[in-house]
Amino acid sequence: MVIREAQGTTDVFGQARSALPEPVVSDRLDGLFGGLSARQRVMASQLPVSLTVALVVVAAAMFSPWTLADSRFLNALLFHLAIAAACIAVPWGRLPSGAFAVIPLLDCLAIGFTREAGGPSFSVLSMTLVFPVIWLSAQVRPYMPALAIAGTVLSTVVPAAALGSPPAAGSMIRVLILPLVMSVMAVTAHVVATTIRRHRTKLMDSEYHLGRTLDESVRRQNLLDAVLGAVGVGVWVVDRNGNTVLTNKTLQSDPALAGLVEPGGGNTQLLAADRTTCVRAGSRPAERAAAGETFMDELYWAGPEDSQRAYSVSSHGFPAAGSQEGGGVITFADVTDLISALAAKDDFVATVSHELRTPLTSILGYLELVLDEPGHDDIRAELLVVRRNADHLMGLVDDLIAVASERVELCLEETDLAQLVTRAVDAALPRAAGNGLSVKLEVERPLPVRADPARISQVLHNLLSNAVKYSPDGGLITATAARTDAGLVCSITDTGMGMSDEEQEQAFTKFFRSARSRSTAIPGAGLGLPVSKTIVEGHGGSISLASTPGAGTSATFILPES
């Protein structure tokens, strides 16, 4: 899944994520400067001026040694030395944060004295004012540029007045031009520094949020890896072109499925739920998912013929996002054991039902003989009860056999559906009246159909019996039959307790009974609707339910016309 490498990361989509870039030199220097103490920062800021003065001394010793003999020049150099010593000796961290501004101001004065004492040859020292001016102007406080301008003016005016230098045209130009140029430089430096600082703050905020986002992304990535690695369901993600984007270990390790995702996997045998129909190209799960189709719990068989496995397959699409294409997520749940268990259960039910049918047939046969013989009038009523219950038990056995085999033997003949509905309603009237129910019959006549009248009567009996059982508080049952474009439609509608959506989904499942029917002890084995579905579909028709909790249920089946 996520493979972490030395230079980057590979995500679950197989795409390389580059590692974070190495910090540039300016970032390293900025980090180093930010880690200095207040004293060290003052010393580092003073260093350009101190180095420049040291170079001036070396140049003066080489090209103008007589200047070093001038006491005024030496005093100016001592002034610089005292400023450097103050940078080292003063505990700047204990002073107010703006106290360091005195150093660049003194630098301006020291530069002015050095320039005046050195004479015209050292007028170039005016350029050294750039260092203290920029030092002050680059600060956050808005008054710092004003101090830088004031320091420039002082460096021009105070040394000349203190040393008694005679005014000259050059000095007057310097008095006017130098502060003006330095003022422009101070304002420019402050604006640039403020802009850079603002952008830097935004950048740091962006980096912080990016780091948080990256951490969250990595956390989600690790969580996704753990989930995909832990679930026992095969996961296959495809893009809109049907190309594989992601598979998890469960799918990769399943020999029956691994061939589907390999190049040329379309040749892997994939069978439909009947285990005989081969799924054609264009209808395979990956192709349907790539086309944006969503489906749930469809049964497929995959793998070699001697070791096929059954899978419940679902697909959910996902939309395109950013540079990522949309596609679909396909899940494969191995249900081979469940299918085998259900088949074994059906075989067991069918076997037991057949075994029960033989003695029941014998019991009913002997009961008929006893009832036909004279001399049993004193127990005839009891024998009839035994025969009625034996007939009921035989019906249950027949239902079990029908739902186990999912087919019934039909004896088709021309019959009238309207008559079958009328007879079924007449048979249900006594029991309906006992529950305080009214029965309404609405049928067209005639409704000829080619069907098994006994089996269709069984369906009607099941539906009417359910309507009566699940309307314990009285109400109305309506039986309708009519000819429509879809065929012959018959509906049994009640005003009873109804069913929830979840119960409707399970209503045609073998042995299913709602929680309400169990809690109220309503009799039944949960076979009526499954058997009815088997019979109706055996005639080529369909059956459905529509129900609302507390408002009743309508069961409708449709038979094709003759």
Side-chain angles (χ1 to χ4, degrees), residues 68 174 178 207 269 285 304 426 429 536:
L68 297 176
R174 184 170 62 246
L178 185 60
E207 288 181 351
Q269 188 179 37
D426 290 341
L429 281 175
V536 171

Side-chain angles (χ1 to χ4, degrees), residues 1 220-233 235 248 250:
M1 301 308 296
R220 290 177 178 269
Q221 182 68 58
N222 292 336
L223 178 60
L224 176 62
D225 296 339
V227 170
L228 291 179
V231 296
V233 176
V235 178
N248 71 340
T250 302

Side-chain angles (χ1 to χ4, degrees), residues 206-219:
S206 298
E207 288 181 351
Y208 172 76
H209 291 298
L210 180 61
R212 291 285 299 273
T213 303
L214 180 59
D215 290 342
E216 180 64 18
S217 176
V218 171
R219 188 189 70 81

Side-chain angles (χ1 to χ4, degrees), residues 459 463 508 529 532-534 536-537 541-545 555-558:
V459 172
L463 299 183
F508 292 100
L529 287 177
S532 299
K533 183 174 186 291
T534 301
V536 171
E537 291 181 349
S542 62
I543 187 169
S544 61
L545 289 178
T556 302
F557 67 89
I558 302 175

Side-chain angles (χ1 to χ4, degrees), residues 170-181:
S171 62
M172 294 305 297
I173 292 174
R174 184 170 62 246
V175 170
L176 296 175
I177 298 300
L178 185 60
L180 180 61
V181 172

Side-chain angles (χ1 to χ4, degrees), residues 154-354:
L154 292 176
S155 72
T156 304
V157 176
V158 173
L163 298 179
S165 300
S171 62
M172 294 305 297
I173 292 174
R174 184 170 62 246
V175 170
L176 296 175
I177 298 300
L178 185 60
L180 180 61
V181 172
M182 289 300 169
S183 297
V184 173
M185 186 176 296
V187 172
T188 303
H190 183 73
V191 171
V192 171
T194 302
T195 302
I196 292 174
R197 190 176 292 107
R198 184 167 56 250
H199 284 297
R200 178 179 176 78
T201 301
K202 291 182 179 179
L203 181 61
M204 291 178 67
D205 289 341
S206 298
E207 288 181 351
Y208 172 76
H209 291 298
L210 180 61
R212 291 285 299 273
T213 303
L214 180 59
D215 290 342
E216 180 64 18
S217 176
V218 171
R219 188 189 70 81
R220 290 177 178 269
Q221 182 68 58
N222 292 336
L223 178 60
L224 176 62
D225 296 339
V227 170
L228 291 179
V231 296
V233 176
V235 178
W236 185 10
V237 182
V238 296
D239 60 20
R240 289 299 184 192
N241 299 317
N243 300 318
T244 299
V245 176
L246 162 69
T247 58
N248 71 340
K249 292 181 180 179
T250 302
L251 186 136
Q252 295 167 5
S253 60
D254 190 331
L257 295 177
L260 292 176
V261 301
E262 295 175 356
N267 298 324
T268 301
Q269 188 179 37
L270 190 66
L271 302 179
D274 59 9
R275 207 172 180 178
T276 56
T277 305
C278 185
V279 181
R280 297 172 298 176
S283 299
R284 300 168 77 85
E287 295 164 327
R288 295 169 60 189
E293 183 178 350
T294 297
F295 51 90
M296 293 289 294
D297 298 325
E298 294 190 1
L299 185 64
Y300 290 91
W301 291 84
E305 185 174 356
D306 58 344
S307 58
Q308 287 181 342
R309 306 290 295 178
Y311 297 91
S312 175
V313 183
S314 302
S315 172
H316 300 273
F318 60 88
S323 60
Q324 295 285 346
E325 291 186 355
V329 179
I330 313 163
T331 58
F332 295 81
D334 191 332
V335 293
T336 309
D337 294 339
L338 177 60
I339 296 294
S340 300
L342 291 175
K345 183 197 74 174
D346 290 341
D347 291 342
F348 174 76
V349 171
T351 301
V352 171
S353 299
H354 282 291

